[in-house]
Amino acid sequence: RRVHGGFSKTEMALFSDDPNLIIQHMALAGVANSLGQTAGHPFDLIKMRLQVQGQGTRVVDKQNLLYRGTFRGLYAIVEREGALAVYKGWLACVLRELPYSGMRVGLYEPMKELFGARDPSNTPIWKKMASGICSGTIAAFLVNPFDIMKVRFCAASPEEYAQLKNPLQEIWMLFRKEGVRGLWRGVGPSTLRGATITAVQLSSYDHVKHELLNHNIMSEGTTLHFFSSVFAATCAVIATNPMDVVKTRVMNQRVSYTQASAMGSSVTAYKGPMDCLVKVMQSEGLLGLYKGVGGAWLRLGPHTIVTFMTFEQLRNWFGVRPI
C-alpha cells in the first residue's frame, strides 16, 4: 500500500535501523535551515536590535528611537550603515544554524522513534512535542557559544561591530576573558527557547500536515508544505518571543569591571534570566516581552517556509521519506 509521498511502509526505513541515516538527516537539516536563515536574516537582525533598544525604560521618547518598527528600522540601518548592513552578522548566524538546526531538526524524528512513533501519519501530538523538546534542548545547550556570537554580531551598534573580529575568534576571546561560564551565559533562556520553538514549530508542522493528508484535504507537495510552514511559524513566534527577548538581552550584555564593584568583581545589567524577566516586566510592561514580534514573524516566517520546503525537497532527492 502506498502512503504519503509515494513511499510504502516497507520503504520507510527506521532511523534506529541505520545510524548513517541520522547523520545524513542532520546534514540535510543544517543546509535547509541555513538557507532559511539567509532568507530571513535582515528581519532577524532588526528583531534583535529592537529587542535590546530601550532596555530598562518604561517611558520611551519615540521620537528619539533609532529603530521605530521593523520596516522603518531596516530603513534606518540601510540609511545609516549602508545596504549591505542588513546582512551584518550573517556568518555568525550560519555558523550557529548549521549545528544548531542540524541537531534540533535532524534529531526530531529519531527522537519520535524513541518515544515509540513508527507511523508518521498517526503519531500522537504529545510524542511530537516531547521529541521536539528533547532535540531542541540538546541542540541549544551544545551550541550556546555560537548563539552568543550571533546575538552580539547582530545586536551590535556600528561602533561595536567595527571592534568585532570573526565569530570563531570572538568565541576564543570570550573564553580567555570569562572562561567556560562566559561561553554558556544565557544558556537557561536559550535552552528553554530552543526546546519550545522546536516542540512548537516541528510538532505543529508535522501535525497539521498529516491532519490535512489524513482527511484528504491536500496531498503531499509544495502547497501542503507551504501552508503547514506558515502555520508552524505563527505558532512558534507566539510561543517563543518572550523567551527570545530575555535570551537576547542576557546574551548581549557585556561584563564590566569598575571601581564601584567590590574588589573588581563583575557588573552586569541582569543577574540571570529570571532577573531579566522581572526587570523587563517592571520597567517595560508585558508588551516589552513582545518587542520585535513583527520582525520575529517576518524573520521566522520566511525562515520556516524556506527551511521546510527545502528540507522536504532535499529528503525527496536523497530518498528519505517526507516528514
Side-chain angles (χ1 to χ4, degrees):
R1 184 168 69 90
R2 308 300 288 184
V3 293
H4 310 320
F7 288 79
S8 69
K9 289 190 180 290
T10 56
E11 288 173 316
M12 289 186 172
L14 298 177
F15 290 97
S16 56
D17 294 335
D18 185 3
N20 290 328
L21 188 58
I22 299 177
I23 298 173
Q24 180 193 50
H25 201 58
M26 291 172 62
L28 296 180
V31 170
N33 277 272
S34 295
L35 292 174
Q37 172 65 43
T38 301
H41 184 80
F43 296 108
D44 201 11
L45 180 78
I46 189 58
K47 177 203 72 174
M48 282 185 271
R49 292 199 182 183
L50 285 167
Q51 287 175 342
V52 300
Q53 180 175 246
Q55 296 183 71
T57 306
R58 177 180 287 272
V59 179
V60 179
D61 183 359
K62 294 185 177 181
Q63 296 302 314
N64 292 325
L65 287 178
L66 179 57
Y67 309 118
R68 287 181 276 174
T70 299
F71 290 103
R72 294 178 72 178
L74 284 172
Y75 178 79
I77 291 173
V78 172
E79 186 178 47
R80 188 178 180 217
E81 303 170 46
L84 294 179
V86 296
Y87 272 89
K88 278 186 174 180
W90 172 81
L91 178 59
C93 290
V94 170
L95 287 175
R96 175 254 192 185
E97 201 68 35
L98 283 167
Y100 171 64
S101 287
M103 284 187 282
R104 77 177 185 92
V105 177
L107 293 176
Y108 168 71
E109 287 168 282
M111 286 292 177
K112 282 202 302 182
E113 290 185 6
L114 289 179
F115 282 103
R118 293 293 186 269
D119 182 0
S121 62
N122 292 290
T123 300
I125 186 68
W126 73 264
K127 290 186 179 182
K128 296 174 183 178
M129 296 196 73
S131 302
I133 289 171
C134 291
S135 64
T137 298
I138 293 169
F141 180 81
L142 293 178
V143 184
N144 199 76
F146 290 92
D147 213 353
I148 291 176
M149 288 307 109
K150 170 188 172 178
V151 169
R152 292 193 175 184
F153 271 80
C154 290
S157 66
E159 295 75 20
E160 292 170 335
Y161 191 86
Q163 301 300 315
L164 294 171
K165 303 182 185 299
N166 71 64
L168 296 179
Q169 282 183 289
E170 288 295 326
I171 289 175
W172 173 243
M173 291 171 63
L174 178 62
F175 172 71
R176 291 186 62 184
K177 183 178 180 182
E178 301 178 36
V180 173
R181 186 176 180 179
L183 294 178
W184 267 266
R185 176 180 295 116
V187 70
S190 178
T191 301
L192 180 61
R193 180 188 179 277
T196 304
I197 195 171
T198 307
V200 174
Q201 184 187 47
L202 285 170
S203 67
S204 60
Y205 176 88
D206 189 354
H207 203 71
V208 75
K209 175 186 171 181
H210 284 288
E211 284 296 304
L212 292 170
L213 286 168
N214 291 341
H215 291 86
N216 296 316
I217 297 173
M218 291 186 183
S219 58
E220 188 72 51
T222 303
T223 302
L224 174 65
H225 301 159
F226 177 82
F227 181 84
S228 302
S229 299
V230 172
F231 180 80
T234 303
C235 292
V237 168
I238 293 171
T240 62
N241 204 80
M243 288 173 276
D244 206 21
V245 170
V246 172
K247 183 201 79 167
T248 298
R249 294 194 178 187
V250 171
M251 287 185 168
N252 188 56
Q253 65 181 349
R254 268 70 167 175
V255 175
S256 61
Y257 300 88
T258 66
Q259 292 182 347
S261 60
M263 301 298 292
S265 59
S266 60
V267 177
T268 55
Y270 308 113
K271 297 176 182 177
M274 287 306 299
D275 182 53
C276 179
L277 177 65
V278 170
K279 285 180 177 177
V280 170
M281 291 288 290
Q282 288 177 339
S283 62
E284 301 166 57
L286 180 62
L287 291 180
L289 295 174
Y290 278 91
K291 278 190 170 181
V293 69
W297 195 96
L298 288 168
R299 176 257 172 181
L300 197 59
H303 183 288
T304 303
I305 293 166
V306 171
T307 291
F308 281 123
M309 294 184 74
T310 303
F311 192 36
E312 294 276 23
Q313 187 59 56
L314 287 173
R315 292 165 71 108
N316 183 50
W317 287 345
F318 283 86
V320 181
R321 70 189 183 199
I323 295 175

